[in-house]
Amino acid sequence: MTNLYLEAHKRQKELLKLESTLKARLAKYPQGRMRMITKGNFVMYYLRRSPSDSTWTYISVHDEKKIRTFLQKSYDEKALKLVQGVLADLAVLLSTEDKSEQIQNLYTTFPKRARKFLKPADLPDDEYARLWLAKPYQTKELPAGLSVFTSIKGDHVRSKSELNIANALYSLHIPYKYECPLILSGDIIIYPDFTVLNVKQRKIFYWEHRGMMDDREYSIPAVWRVKEYEKNGIFLGGSLIITEETLRQPLDTDEIKNVIHHYLLS
């Protein structure tokens, strides 16, 4: 499914939950409807307990509990109507056939030798990821004498935590590049620990693991890197992922998996 259909399903799920919450709240309200009349800066409140009542009863502004109850009821009724309207629209959209997969697969119906002449309108996820990974890059050189760890994919990484991140990404089939250069404004080149692709969103994330945050000499450049990212519109919570650890609080595998599922598998 394309992002449109994925987002529609996600929004539908959110609205169904909200619809259920609103219905549950409305079932608990007392019978009756509120009416508001505005005169200048003043609002007057009236209540009709039953549809058969011919008159509306004035509510004193000092009766805040009653005003709050029936005002919230009125709001929830209107909100429920709007939510159900959007759900109806989403149901129509999701009932139609998603032909985007046919568009994505069109590229692969051409012979492999002919594809180099094409500029595809869209690609299947696996082909998009393959082409992204195939773009060459020069990784940062590892200092001589540094202990390195080799990931399942074959990358040489600098720490056990980076090894765990790399192996988790690989095991969950998340495309990534280790220490791929990123050019920032002012011709500053940095090497994010991991440049990662969320294939469904077609979005690139930069994952920095800060492994010695209790070391002052380490933390100063680590903070500088974040500021450089932000100067270039790459913000934490957006396209920037940061994990941290100290000697007493190491990075564990559950944290790594939670980060991956939150940012890269949604």
Side-chain angles (χ1 to χ4, degrees), residues 10-266:
K10 181 180 177 181
R11 186 59 176 155
Q12 183 188 51
K13 184 177 180 180
E14 293 171 347
L15 289 175
L16 285 170
K17 183 178 179 180
L18 178 57
E19 180 188 39
S20 178
T21 300
L22 290 169
K23 284 182 175 179
R25 288 214 304 245
L26 285 166
K28 297 178 181 178
Y29 288 116
Q31 187 179 11
R33 287 186 57 206
M34 174 171 280
R35 178 182 179 187
M36 292 183 293
I37 297 177
T38 304
K39 289 186 177 181
N41 295 326
F42 296 96
V43 180
M44 292 180 289
Y45 304 94
Y46 295 86
L47 179 65
R48 186 168 69 175
R49 286 288 186 179
S50 170
S52 61
D53 290 345
S54 59
T55 59
W56 293 80
T57 303
Y58 173 75
I59 305 175
S60 170
V61 292
H62 300 295
D63 195 349
E64 293 185 358
K65 183 178 179 181
K66 186 177 290 185
I67 292 173
R68 184 177 293 108
T69 297
F70 285 97
L71 203 58
Q72 188 65 52
K73 181 182 180 182
S74 177
Y75 174 90
D76 288 350
E77 287 173 338
K78 292 176 180 179
L80 178 61
K81 186 176 181 180
L82 289 171
V83 166
Q84 290 176 332
V86 177
L87 282 170
D89 292 339
L90 287 173
V92 173
L93 169 65
L94 294 173
S95 67
T96 61
E97 182 184 0
D98 182 6
K99 295 186 178 181
S100 58
E101 190 172 335
Q102 296 178 30
I103 299 173
Q104 291 179 341
N105 291 330
L106 178 61
Y107 176 76
T108 60
T109 64
F110 285 75
K112 285 187 177 181
R113 292 181 178 273
R115 293 176 197 170
K116 64 182 180 181
F117 300 108
L118 297 175
K119 291 183 179 180
D122 201 355
L123 291 168
D125 289 346
D126 56 350
E127 184 67 10
Y128 186 92
R130 187 190 69 79
L131 292 175
W132 184 78
L133 286 169
K135 295 178 182 178
Y137 70 96
Q138 184 63 49
T139 188
K140 189 177 181 180
E141 290 187 12
L142 295 171
L146 178 71
S147 296
V148 296
F149 302 82
T150 305
S151 71
I152 298 172
K153 182 182 172 184
D155 294 304
H156 298 298
V157 300
R158 298 168 184 265
S159 70
K160 185 68 178 292
S161 292
E162 287 188 349
L163 176 67
N164 290 336
I165 293 172
N167 287 344
L169 290 169
Y170 186 81
S171 298
L172 292 170
H173 309 291
I174 308 295
Y176 77 88
K177 298 177 182 181
Y178 181 70
E179 292 195 338
C180 177
L182 174 65
I183 301 176
L184 302 178
S185 58
D187 293 328
I188 295 174
I189 300 177
I190 63 173
Y191 294 81
D193 294 329
F194 297 91
T195 302
V196 195
L197 177 66
N198 182 320
V199 183
K200 291 293 183 184
Q201 295 183 20
R202 301 293 201 261
K203 181 177 179 180
I204 292 174
F205 289 85
Y206 303 99
W207 186 337
E208 293 281 5
H209 177 63
R210 311 201 295 190
M212 297 185 294
M213 289 306 289
D214 45 358
D215 183 335
R216 187 172 184 276
E217 294 301 317
Y218 176 91
S219 63
I220 292 174
V223 172
W224 172 86
R225 285 168 73 90
V226 172
K227 292 185 179 297
E228 289 301 319
Y229 276 118
E230 292 176 345
K231 289 178 184 177
N232 287 266
I234 302 170
F235 292 93
L236 182 62
S239 299
L240 179 61
I241 301 170
I242 291 179
T243 48
E244 298 177 324
E245 65 180 326
T246 65
L247 285 174
R248 293 185 178 182
Q249 295 177 307
L251 180 72
D252 60 50
T253 54
D254 286 340
E255 183 180 351
I256 293 171
K257 290 179 181 178
N258 288 339
V259 169
I260 290 173
H261 281 276
H262 179 76
Y263 287 99
L264 306 170
L265 289 175
S266 61

